[in-house]
Amino acid sequence: MMAIIVNYNPKNIIMTNPIVQINPSARELAAELTKIVKRAISELGERERITVALSGGNTPARIFSYISLEFQNALDWSKVHFFWGDERCVAPNSDQSNYKMALVSLLKPLNIPRENIFRIMGEYEPEQALLHYRQLMLHKMDWVHRLPHFDLVLLGLGDDGHTASIFPGDTSSLQSKEPCVLTTHPTSKQQRVSIPMPVINNASHVVFLVTGVSKAEIVKNILGPHFHSEYPAAHVKPKHGKLSWLLDEDAASLL
């Protein structure tokens, strides 16, 4: 399905699946992401919290910082339980840690209580980290269609078309029905824990956060009329939810 492209207009957001929204800057992306989280909280009904899978990467880091600086009072953050879509097998104080990035840019500034944070234990041996996260997902999340169900999954986009830690050529992670899997970076050979594609596609809402002209070509390829199966990000197609792409003008420049 071709994406519908909507230039930035906060009073006229068309929600279809998929949607591409072009924003002037990362600050506007942060404002729109805050609205998405607020909307998810408003739809809680009798449930007490929403579950969000955070992404690593430079773009999410910038957006998280804007949220914590400018939108910390926009909603009740205590109703949000934070998980991760992927994590490197490193210590939590490592500059490579997705947890550390989120802690510094988002969780600590928002005063998120510790009981709302469910991180991947990257300092464990990879298999142990995987098993620990599986148990967290089993006991701390709702399951729908026999898979963990996130209210919101945030994703970045690599220059090679990878997303979460699902890299080109990793057909197993595109198909695995496990709640989380071990993956290996194709160049560094560093191991990571990641949610697989079926879990991503089981979410209520999946949101790509993409900025910068360096991502324009891959964005054009994925959102164009032809399906590029070699790009893991092209396989993100929620079965029962919504898909949004929040882009800045540079990332959208070739659309």
Side-chain angles (χ1 to χ4, degrees):
M1 185 191 309
M2 282 288 290
I4 291 181
I5 300 175
V6 181
N7 287 317
Y8 180 69
N9 181 351
K11 296 181 180 179
N12 185 27
I13 303 301
I14 301 172
M15 292 308 295
T16 187
N17 201 14
I19 183 174
V20 176
Q21 186 181 343
I22 302 170
N23 302 267
S25 70
R27 184 196 177 281
E28 280 73 26
L29 264 72
E32 291 308 314
L33 179 56
T34 302
K35 291 179 183 178
I36 288 172
V37 177
K38 188 173 184 177
R39 187 180 302 118
I41 292 175
S42 72
E43 296 170 354
L44 271 174
E46 296 181 356
R47 298 165 57 218
E48 295 181 353
R49 82 290 187 269
I50 65 168
T51 51
V52 176
L54 296 175
S55 171
N58 292 329
T59 292
R62 291 172 60 205
I63 292 173
F64 294 167
S65 293
Y66 275 118
I67 288 175
S68 63
L69 286 171
E70 300 191 34
F71 305 107
Q72 58 180 292
N73 298 318
L75 53 90
D76 184 355
W77 291 101
S78 69
K79 293 185 178 296
V80 184
H81 282 197
F82 293 93
F83 293 75
W84 274 258
D86 69 318
E87 179 61 281
R88 299 173 180 88
C89 291
V90 296
N93 61 352
S94 168
D95 288 340
Q96 297 184 48
S97 169
N98 289 341
Y99 164 73
K100 179 182 177 181
M101 180 276 282
L103 181 70
V104 171
S105 62
L106 184 71
L107 305 177
K108 196 170 182 179
L110 292 179
N111 295 314
I112 301 298
R114 181 171 296 182
E115 57 268 25
N116 286 23
I117 300 172
F118 303 93
R119 73 177 182 91
I120 299 169
M121 309 296 278
E123 68 271 34
Y124 289 0
E125 290 297 318
E127 289 287 351
Q128 187 181 5
L130 180 72
L131 292 174
H132 179 270
Y133 201 48
R134 283 179 179 172
Q135 289 300 308
L136 271 182
M137 299 174 87
L138 180 63
H139 296 292
K140 300 297 183 180
M141 291 185 62
D142 296 330
W143 284 53
V144 178
H145 308 296
R146 298 184 180 181
L147 288 170
H149 172 261
F150 286 103
D151 294 284
L152 179 63
V153 171
L154 305 182
L155 295 175
L157 177 67
D159 293 338
D160 58 356
H162 86 263
T163 194
S165 282
I166 306 175
F167 299 98
D170 184 359
T171 56
S172 176
S173 296
L174 294 177
Q175 302 170 0
S176 176
K177 297 299 178 67
E178 295 292 336
C180 52
V181 294
L182 277 182
T183 71
T184 302
H185 189 279
T187 302
S188 69
K189 305 304 178 183
Q190 181 188 61
Q191 287 191 285
R192 305 182 179 193
V193 176
S194 180
I195 58 176
M197 192 59 65
V199 173
I200 293 173
N201 285 334
N202 197 44
S204 293
H205 197 170
V206 181
V207 179
F208 276 96
L209 306 171
V210 188
T211 61
V213 69
S214 67
K215 301 296 176 68
E217 183 71 24
I218 191 72
V219 166
K220 181 191 73 171
N221 289 339
I222 291 175
L223 294 176
H226 304 294
F227 177 61
H228 289 265
S229 62
E230 69 273 24
Y231 301 139
H235 293 263
V236 177
K237 299 179 180 179
K239 289 188 174 181
H240 311 282
K242 297 179 288 189
L243 173 61
S244 298
W245 287 72
L246 300 185
L247 311 175
D248 72 354
E249 291 175 344
D250 287 337
S253 60
L254 298 181
L255 293 179

